[in-house]
Amino acid sequence: MDSSPSQPTTTTIPTSTPTQPSITPPISASEPTPSPPTSTHSRIRQIRLLILQSFYATAHRSDSTILHLSRLLSTPSGTDSLLCTVGYTLTFLHSILSRLLTNRLSKLATDIAAKASDALLPGETLITTFPAPGPTAAIARVTASSKALADVISDFRIFVRLWGLVGIYEWGRGTWKTGLNEGAGRKERILRAVTWGQIVACAAYQILENGAYLASKGVLSTAGWMGEAGAKRQARWWVWSSRFWAAHVGLEGVRLGAVWWYRGKEDKERAARGAVGDGEKEEKLLIEQRKKEDRLWWRDAISNSAYAPLTVHWSLEEGLVSDAWVGFLGAVAGAVSLREALRNTA
């Protein structure tokens, strides 16, 4: 038996609904139409949703940033470029804060001396110590901390270069085995000569830096590295290592100049030939390759230009530029390399 409820057999739908006359009170143009009130619960839901969306976006960006940083630090070049940028930036910050701290302390001492002079008799001297005001003390702490961290980074970067001779050997071995083609032109011969000069300069630089660094840590403790004579020898090795580094930077400038000159000649010759038929596709590929080469050329040119005055500065016993310039130029050189490393690990 069907137990479902019975349905009505007929349904009547009115064709029209009787309307009642309505009277709408006039609304003045100057009076705003009241809007329906928004419940407090609805506002709370909207605020909660905004907070969750902001939290999710922040977490997503943080996750991407940390993973990118992990890829960057997994490569020696990426680690060095990051430490180089941070270390020289801290050196620049320390120089600026030191100048600001000196000005603040000088002003403070002058104010105290001016107030104390009224209470002193002629010929009397006041010697006192006093705590620095809160902001000045904070600047002093940040100044000392930035210098300490910059020194740690610099020491670490020198330490990991101790085995840099291995990479230089591989560089030289690869250059030797590659050789020049029989039809090599003037450009190839110039670049090969520059490369060999850079290999020799880098090898000499690395040997001298390693010796000076190990002596400064007490690892080299023979008679030649001890006492006043040893200290002079150590300083001499530091200076000469920088001079060989300066030679490498100079040769890099020659290499960049040669690449720029011959690239311009090649572009003119290719423009004169033009692109026909299938050559148009090859021309597009060549243009893309040229854009990449140009980017790398400018990276090396900017980095080399920033390092040039620094190598001269360290090649002179009396120096050349201030610590502020050392920090600024080093940060520029590091940032250029860091940008390329970030691009490669994106």
Side-chain angles (χ1 to χ4, degrees), residues 26-344:
I27 299 177
S28 173
S30 61
E31 296 180 359
T33 303
S35 57
T38 305
S39 65
T40 303
H41 187 64
S42 176
R43 288 182 177 179
I44 292 176
R45 283 203 309 268
Q46 291 177 358
I47 293 174
R48 185 182 302 171
L49 180 61
L50 289 174
I51 293 174
L52 290 176
Q53 289 176 343
S54 176
F55 176 78
Y56 176 78
T58 302
H60 180 71
R61 287 194 299 267
S62 300
D63 177 70
S64 300
T65 301
I66 292 173
L67 291 178
H68 195 177
L69 181 62
S70 176
R71 292 191 297 271
L72 177 71
L73 295 177
S74 65
T75 61
S77 59
T79 302
D80 186 70
S81 61
L82 178 62
L83 291 179
C84 176
T85 306
V86 174
Y88 281 115
T89 300
L90 289 172
T91 299
F92 178 75
L93 178 64
H94 171 264
S95 177
I96 299 300
L97 291 178
S98 295
R99 188 176 305 174
L100 176 62
L101 183 62
T102 300
N103 293 337
R104 278 177 171 262
L105 292 177
S106 297
K107 185 177 183 302
L108 184 61
T110 301
D111 293 342
I112 294 176
K115 294 177 180 178
S117 61
D118 297 335
L120 296 176
L121 297 175
E124 287 186 330
T125 303
L126 174 65
I127 300 177
T128 183
T129 58
F130 53 88
T136 303
I139 293 175
R141 288 193 296 270
V142 175
T143 303
S145 298
S146 60
K147 179 67 167 60
L149 184 55
D151 289 343
V152 170
I153 292 175
S154 176
D155 189 86
F156 175 78
R157 293 184 66 224
I158 295 176
F159 174 77
V160 297
R161 284 202 300 266
L162 284 173
W163 47 90
L165 283 171
V166 177
I168 296 172
Y169 169 81
E170 184 180 7
W171 181 18
R173 181 177 181 274
T175 303
W176 174 266
K177 293 191 69 174
T178 301
L180 279 175
N181 298 326
E182 294 183 359
R186 183 179 177 84
K187 173 187 174 182
E188 288 74 17
R189 295 182 183 279
I190 292 175
L191 293 179
R192 186 173 178 82
V194 169
T195 299
W196 276 116
Q198 289 181 307
I199 292 171
V200 173
C202 287
Y205 154 76
Q206 196 61 70
I207 292 172
L208 291 169
E209 184 188 69
N210 287 359
Y213 178 76
L214 294 175
S216 69
K217 299 300 181 182
V219 178
L220 300 180
S221 56
T222 58
W225 293 105
M226 302 298 290
E228 184 178 350
K232 290 182 178 179
R233 183 182 185 185
Q234 184 185 137
R236 190 165 59 249
W237 279 43
W238 280 120
V239 169
W240 273 101
S241 69
S242 298
R243 290 173 180 173
F244 279 108
W245 184 16
H248 165 75
V249 170
L251 289 170
E252 180 67 5
V254 174
R255 184 190 73 82
L256 291 170
V259 170
W260 182 270
W261 170 262
Y262 283 103
R263 184 180 297 172
K265 290 183 63 177
E266 292 169 0
D267 289 343
K268 290 180 180 179
E269 293 174 358
R270 189 173 61 256
R273 291 194 303 267
V276 182
D278 293 339
E280 294 180 1
K281 187 175 182 180
E282 296 179 0
E283 186 73 12
K284 291 180 180 179
L285 295 175
L286 187 60
I287 290 174
E288 292 298 323
Q289 181 183 358
R290 183 55 53 88
K291 287 181 179 179
K292 180 180 179 180
E293 292 175 354
D294 286 344
R295 189 186 79 246
L296 296 177
W297 187 94
W298 280 108
R299 179 203 65 183
D300 294 341
I302 294 173
S303 177
N304 206 59
S305 299
Y307 273 131
L310 293 181
T311 57
V312 175
H313 167 73
W314 288 315
S315 296
L316 304 174
E317 295 181 0
E318 63 277 8
L320 179 66
V321 297
S322 64
D323 287 344
W325 276 108
V326 170
F328 174 75
L329 293 172
V332 170
V336 172
S337 299
L338 178 61
R339 181 183 179 186
E340 187 65 24
L342 289 171
R343 180 193 292 269
N344 294 334

